[in-house]
Amino acid sequence: MRKQASRLFYGNVSDFLFTVCQRGAEAVLKAEIARLRPELRFAFSRPGFVTFKIPSDAKLADDFDLGSVFARTYGFSLGRVEGTDAETMIREAWHVAKEAPHAARAHLHVWERDAALPGDRGFEPGVTPLAEEVGQQIAEAAGEITPTVNHLAKSGQRILDVVLVEPSAWWIGWHRASAPPSRWPGGVYSLQTPEDAVSRAYLKMAEALAWSRLPISPGDHCVELGSSPGGSCQTLLDRGCTVTGIDPAEMAPEVLERENFTHLRARSKDLKRRTFRGMHWLTADLNVAPSYTLETVEHIVTHRDTNFRGLLLTLKLMEWDLAEQIPEYLERVRSWGFEYVRARQLSYNRQEICVVALRRRQMRRKPFWREGAARQP
Ligand SMILES: C[S@@+](CC[C@H](N)C(=O)[O-])C[C@H]1O[C@@H](n2cnc3c(N)ncnc32)[C@H](O)[C@@H]1O
């Protein structure tokens, strides 16, 4: 499919970029944007929501890549509506939306900023019933066009965004869908936790696979360092992979009894590297400092007996200050012979990031959303 040409967006004094992140990640996001895009000036923030002023002479393509690890999603701001009367706010929201490119008004994404940290007291990011209800009401009030609400966007589609920053203060904006998270409402990969999932890592791994487009196929052999109790191994087993889990701690019985699963009850560094011969993909989710995870993985993947196609590594940011070292972490992974290396704080991550590495960029899986703009599973 030919990529449609990007439209250049010329900022003026009233223009802002809005970004959405995990609660608590605002400061590292601000520091990251100051490094990546010094022309963007921090403007306003609430937990999980940060805006930046776009200078009047900035030229940004409407699908420009912010290149941020911590911004779940982002877009061009159009304005805010505030009030206590939902009907009036809905009318005003649609009025503000008329400033968006016409095509954006056919697709609406509505979500609330996160109410808590992912995993805290059962909270998971995603479209809430309130956001869905507001979305449906805006669609009904739209009149000339009835936009779709919270559908998975297709590549190149322009999307109208309504962020419920507070129940009484909504931020209206728009963006053009491009990379996978820009197609998901609020940048969140929406998934119900299966009843038999033994840990939240099930969600993390599912989102990591969707974001990274790692071409893992049924029958491939994956190894996970730090596999107990086994949620992420379940995700890989559900995709038809053969999985070896390495962890000194016990695996959940539901995982141990799966036919294609093997548990090596050991610390990763205590195993001979020939153990990893013939394996295709390495994932790591160790509850240790990033330097330890990287040292452990380096020891395995740089050995002549191993030939991994790609990696998915969780790096725990025990302190937020470690975020400054992310560019060095990625450089280190590249030095092991992986051409394509990216990082993202996934919506289901806690204070940690996910790093994907592939031998070559072209190996990435064809995006499934090309097949249609269906609602997310
Ligand atoms: C966050 S938990 C992993 C969760 C797991 N991925 C899941 O899907 O349920 C971190 C795990 O790393 C393990 N771990 C820590 N250091 C390790 C090492 N050197 N080798 C192997 N496992 C280790 C711990 O025992 C712990 O079970």
Side-chain angles (χ1 to χ4, degrees):
M1 187 197 279
R2 207 160 54 84
K3 193 172 185 284
Q4 294 165 42
S6 294
R7 180 175 157 286
L8 280 183
F9 177 79
Y10 292 83
N12 64 45
V13 265
S14 62
D15 291 319
F16 294 87
L17 187 81
F18 74 86
T19 62
V20 178
C21 63
Q22 184 180 104
R23 282 177 88 98
E26 305 81 26
V28 286
L29 173 60
K30 269 156 65 176
E32 184 187 43
I33 301 300
R35 180 173 54 80
L36 295 171
R37 296 260 176 189
E39 72 278 19
L40 300 177
R41 294 300 158 110
F42 165 69
F44 163 85
S45 84
R46 299 286 297 129
F49 183 79
V50 188
T51 66
F52 299 87
K53 182 110 174 273
I54 304 171
S56 54
D57 56 351
K59 294 182 183 69
L60 298 172
D62 60 7
D63 60 350
F64 84 102
D65 183 3
L66 187 58
S68 165
V69 173
F70 294 98
R72 255 185 221 166
T73 193
Y74 51 93
F76 299 111
S77 170
L78 297 166
R80 289 153 47 124
V81 297
E82 285 185 21
T84 45
D85 176 51
E87 222 172 279
T88 315
M89 288 177 78
I90 284 160
R91 234 186 0 261
E92 284 183 12
W94 191 247
H95 185 71
V96 174
K98 289 191 172 158
E99 296 298 315
H102 189 264
R105 284 179 264 148
H107 308 283
L108 180 60
H109 283 178
V110 186
W111 71 95
E112 285 189 84
R113 105 185 132 81
D114 281 5
L117 271 185
D120 269 7
R121 288 194 226 126
F123 173 80
E124 295 298 353
V127 174
T128 55
L130 173 67
E132 186 65 23
E133 174 66 24
V134 170
Q136 294 301 340
Q137 290 194 24
I138 295 177
E140 276 168 34
E144 91 251 45
I145 315 168
T146 304
T148 62
V149 179
N150 288 336
H151 280 204
L152 179 63
K154 276 204 257 189
S155 175
Q157 271 178 346
R158 291 176 176 86
I159 311 292
L160 188 68
D161 296 304
V162 178
V163 193
L164 310 186
V165 178
E166 311 287 351
S168 59
W170 305 345
W171 205 280
I172 322 294
W174 70 279
H175 74 278
R176 180 163 157 172
S178 178
S182 69
R183 299 174 167 99
W184 306 333
V188 174
Y189 182 69
S190 147
L191 187 71
Q192 290 297 319
T193 315
E195 266 176 29
D196 65 347
V198 298
S199 66
R200 286 190 69 251
Y202 188 102
L203 298 176
K204 266 183 5 186
M205 179 56 79
E207 183 183 5
L209 294 175
W211 159 67
S212 65
R213 291 161 49 191
L214 226 52
I216 296 183
S217 303
D220 285 357
H221 193 159
C222 307
V223 60
E224 172 149 274
L225 315 180
S227 54
S228 162
S232 47
C233 291
Q234 284 180 303
T235 308
L236 294 166
L237 289 162
D238 286 352
R239 278 161 176 71
C241 298
T242 296
V243 181
T244 300
I246 295 173
D247 202 307
E250 276 183 36
M251 298 297 298
E254 298 90 318
V255 182
L256 278 178
E257 70 195 16
R258 299 279 291 257
E259 198 184 333
N260 295 323
F261 181 77
T262 308
H263 183 200
L264 300 179
R265 198 159 180 187
R267 283 173 1 124
S268 315
K269 279 189 173 165
D270 296 339
L271 292 168
K272 294 254 183 299
R273 287 180 288 182
R274 63 169 178 267
T275 312
F276 301 92
R277 203 181 283 159
M279 294 182 180
H280 304 113
W281 306 99
L282 182 145
T283 70
D285 187 15
L286 303 168
N287 51 359
V288 296
S291 55
Y292 186 94
T293 295
L294 292 170
E295 199 182 298
T296 306
V297 175
E298 183 173 72
H299 183 71
I300 298 167
V301 303
T302 57
H303 190 258
R304 63 178 183 283
D305 280 356
T306 67
N307 186 17
F308 286 97
R309 294 174 189 162
L311 319 171
L312 267 183
L313 314 177
T314 299
L315 299 183
K316 310 271 178 196
L317 303 178
M318 269 79 176
E319 294 120 35
W320 280 117
D321 286 353
L322 289 171
E324 284 168 28
Q325 293 178 40
I326 293 173
E328 288 154 46
Y329 298 153
L330 302 191
E331 209 36 59
R332 184 165 176 185
V333 176
R334 257 179 225 116
S335 76
W336 305 337
F338 293 92
E339 181 189 288
Y340 177 80
V341 180
R342 294 285 184 279
R344 175 171 171 86
Q345 186 173 42
L346 304 172
S347 8
Y348 298 117
N349 273 150
R350 284 169 62 87
Q351 197 168 318
E352 58 196 3
I353 59 166
C354 177
V355 174
V356 59
L358 269 175
R359 292 282 173 205
R360 288 185 326 282
R361 182 188 183 92
Q362 294 78 353
M363 287 167 68
R364 286 181 306 162
R365 188 184 290 284
K366 182 172 169 273
F368 58 87
W369 50 88
R370 294 243 167 105
E371 285 148 27
R375 203 165 249 271
Q376 271 184 251

